[in-house]
C-alpha cells in the first residue's frame, strides 16, 4: 500500500492528536510513504508553534524534531 501524508497527517505521527492512531496504523501497513518536499519545514514550524504555545516542553520539542529528521529521510518526497 502507498500512503501519502500531507503536513497535517504527518504531524499526527509525532504529536498525539485526533486521528493520530489511524495515521500511525496506515503508516505501519504502508509499503511506501510519500509526502511533500516542503513537509519537513511545515512540520517543524507546527512543532515550533506548539512549543511557543506551551503545548510541548523543550525536551519534547527536541525529541520530536530529532524523530522527524530521522523519519523524514525514509519518505518519498513529491514536488
Amino acid at each position: 500500500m502507498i500512503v501519502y501524508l500531507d503536513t497535517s497527517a504527518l504531524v499526527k505521527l509525532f504529536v498525539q492528536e485526533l486521528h493520530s492512531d489511524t495515521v500511525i496504523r496506515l503508516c505501519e501497513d504502508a509499503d511506501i510513504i510519500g509526502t511533500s518536499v516542503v513537509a519537513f519545514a511545515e512540520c517543524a514550524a507546527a512543532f515550533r508553534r506548539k512549543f511557543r504555545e506551551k503545548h510541548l516542553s523543550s525536551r519534547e520539542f527536541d525529541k520530536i524534531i530529532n524523530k522527524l529528521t530521522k523519519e523524514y529521510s525514509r519518505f518519498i518526497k513529491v514536488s
Side-chain angles (χ1 to χ4, degrees), residues 14 47 56-70:
F14 303 97
F47 299 141
L56 295 174
S57 69
S58 178
R59 184 172 184 221
E60 290 169 322
F61 174 78
D62 290 342
K63 185 177 177 181
I64 289 169
I65 292 297
N66 287 334
K67 187 174 179 184
L68 172 64
T69 301
K70 180 180 174 187

Side-chain angles (χ1 to χ4, degrees), residues 16-68:
Q16 184 62 40
E17 295 183 344
L18 184 63
H19 304 299
S20 285
D21 295 340
T22 301
V23 174
I24 291 167
R25 209 169 30 256
L26 283 170
C27 289
E28 287 173 347
D29 294 340
D31 298 309
I32 297 171
I33 301 172
T35 194
S36 168
V37 295
V38 298
F40 185 93
E42 291 175 340
C43 280
F47 299 141
R48 173 66 66 183
R49 180 178 180 197
K50 287 180 179 293
F51 172 70
R52 274 194 327 270
E53 294 176 352
K54 310 284 191 224
H55 298 289
L56 295 174
S57 69
S58 178
R59 184 172 184 221
E60 290 169 322
F61 174 78
D62 290 342
K63 185 177 177 181
I64 289 169
I65 292 297
N66 287 334
K67 187 174 179 184
L68 172 64

